[in-house]
Amino acid sequence: MIDFQVERKRDPVRVRVSGDLTFGTVEELREKLLKTMPRKGTFRLVLTDIGEFDLPGVQLLYSLCRSGESGTVTIEIDPGEAAPRIEKMLRFAGLAPISCIQS
């Protein structure tokens, strides 16, 4: 299950997510993120209290960062306490550190 909270200010649009980032939840989360993301400005994803995290979760974060590289939206991901697990999964997947994930 995913808890999804949006803080809409002019800039940045901030989304706080808690729960599991797994195969069973990433599609729902992806749809919510796409609906919330502004056309321009800064979009900050704050991961709070992330439980399980697997490769589909990595893929979601990676694709979110990539979408920010090619558009008018700056993507920032604050991994919070999940930073070590996210970094471990990125290494496992053979991905270089993702530039939009704050350390």
Side-chain angles (χ1 to χ4, degrees):
M1 182 165 160
I2 290 285
D3 183 34
F4 188 87
Q5 299 173 357
V6 179
E7 296 175 21
R8 285 197 186 266
K9 296 180 182 176
R10 291 195 156 217
D11 196 48
V13 172
R14 183 182 318 240
V15 174
R16 292 186 178 278
V17 173
S18 61
D20 297 335
L21 291 179
T22 61
F23 178 79
T25 61
V26 294
E27 184 61 30
E28 173 190 354
L29 179 57
R30 185 182 77 74
E31 289 177 18
K32 288 180 177 182
L33 291 172
L34 290 175
K35 288 179 183 177
T36 308
M37 192 177 301
R39 295 190 190 268
K40 62 181 180 176
T42 302
F43 181 79
R44 184 171 296 139
L45 177 62
V46 180
L47 303 176
T48 58
D49 196 26
I50 296 301
E52 294 184 38
F53 185 75
D54 62 11
L55 285 176
V58 168
Q59 184 179 22
L60 174 68
L61 297 181
Y62 187 74
S63 92
L64 183 63
C65 287
R66 293 293 303 226
S67 68
E69 292 173 1
S70 61
T72 58
V73 177
T74 300
I75 306 292
E76 298 175 350
I77 298 177
D78 178 355
E81 295 176 5
R85 287 186 290 147
I86 291 171
E87 188 174 321
K88 181 179 178 180
M89 289 300 289
L90 288 171
R91 283 194 312 268
F92 176 76
L95 298 172
I98 298 176
S99 61
C100 73
I101 294 181
Q102 302 166 349
S103 39

